[in-house]
Amino acid sequence: MAYILNIETATKSCSVAIAKDGVTLLCKEMAEQGYSHAEKLHVFIEEILAETHLKFSDLNAIAVSQGPGSYTGLRIGVSAAKGLCFALNIPLIAVDTLNVLALKAKVNSGLIVPMIDARRMEVYSAVFDANYQKTENVKAEVITETSYAEITEMVHFISDCPEKLKTVLTSSNFIVADEVTYPSANDMAGLSFDKYKKNDTVDVAYFEPYYLKDFFLQKDQL
């Protein structure tokens, strides 16, 4: 039996879930324009443990969303996860943020492209098949009318910026989900438990979030 605390702070949503053997017991999350992660994260953690009648000492591992995403959000989440792992002497598990977001799409066929807003027409993205297996790695890209034009099968886009995507991703085989969707700690449970069983953990001292920093480098900064 394994209790894993899952932390997702890569976007505007601050999300925390406690899972037992890969099944979420309770999730608390809130998305605000001003990024309230610093105020909400530890409150959510304490509330979840209290409401599930668990103690910090009951936790077997901490899982954190590794990015890509908000620099500030990722720093807060990873710092909290590392602190707990050090204090409790338990392993740290890193989970791909876009993989977590892809799980929000429930489809039987075609491709799933989760996207996280960066700025202007820029996003972080990856491509998964209908079984949530990654077929194209994480990248930072500018979305244009020609993006994904080479794909002929159905493509399901799920993101936190649907209105932006709808202005350019207009091919007949593209389906852009209407609702704003953030990655959730609720969907991390299965991914983190699979990694826990495989002892697929990261070094608590040296782990850093996946920022894709070079994506933001401007010519006048070179």
Side-chain angles (χ1 to χ4, degrees):
M1 181 174 64
Y3 288 106
I4 299 177
L5 183 71
N6 296 282
I7 297 172
E8 163 52 62
T9 58
T11 64
K12 293 176 182 177
S13 179
C14 179
S15 181
V16 180
I18 186 73
K20 177 183 177 183
D21 295 340
V23 178
T24 298
L25 301 178
L26 182 63
C27 178
K28 286 182 178 285
E29 53 194 357
M30 177 180 292
E32 293 183 340
Q33 191 69 24
Y35 286 93
S36 59
H37 301 47
E39 295 80 22
K40 299 294 184 183
L41 180 57
H42 289 284
V43 174
F44 285 170
I45 292 172
E46 292 176 2
E47 289 179 348
I48 277 181
L49 290 175
E51 291 176 34
T52 54
H53 306 289
L54 295 171
K55 303 183 295 294
F56 281 105
S57 58
D58 292 320
L59 299 176
N60 298 97
I62 307 293
V64 67
S65 181
Q66 70 180 18
S70 157
Y71 180 90
T72 301
L74 289 170
R75 285 307 303 177
I76 292 170
V78 169
S79 294
K82 282 186 170 186
L84 289 170
C85 288
F86 272 124
L88 300 171
N89 193 29
I90 57 177
L92 176 63
I93 298 168
V95 179
D96 182 340
T97 303
L98 289 169
N99 196 349
V100 176
L101 181 56
L103 293 175
K104 289 288 188 183
K106 308 301 180 184
V107 301
N108 295 318
S109 61
L111 299 175
I112 302 168
V113 180
M115 289 182 170
I116 293 175
D117 194 14
R119 60 174 188 172
R120 301 188 183 94
M121 293 306 294
E122 300 166 334
V123 297
Y124 302 119
S125 66
V127 180
F128 296 80
D129 63 23
N131 295 315
Y132 307 110
Q133 299 301 306
K134 187 181 292 182
T135 62
E136 290 188 24
N137 288 327
V138 176
K139 63 181 178 180
E141 62 175 329
V142 175
I143 300 299
T144 70
E145 290 82 357
T146 61
S147 296
Y148 302 92
E150 73 282 0
I151 300 178
T152 56
E153 59 189 305
M154 296 300 296
V155 185
H156 305 267
F157 296 92
I158 186 163
S159 74
D160 61 351
C161 53
E163 293 305 316
K164 179 165 77 175
L165 302 183
K166 286 182 178 181
T167 63
V168 288
L169 298 176
T170 57
S171 295
S172 59
N173 61 316
F174 292 170
I175 300 174
V176 180
D178 291 327
E179 67 278 7
V180 172
T181 305
Y182 298 107
S184 172
N186 183 56
D187 299 307
M188 291 175 63
L191 298 173
S192 59
F193 185 56
D194 285 344
K195 289 198 167 195
Y196 177 79
K197 290 186 294 183
K198 298 173 184 176
N199 198 31
D200 184 1
T201 61
V202 295
D203 190 302
V204 176
Y206 295 103
F207 173 72
E208 290 292 331
Y210 186 33
Y211 293 125
L212 290 183
K213 283 184 179 181
D214 57 333
F215 185 47
F216 296 98
L217 192 61
Q218 301 296 310
K219 288 183 179 180
D220 58 4
Q221 295 175 314
L222 294 174

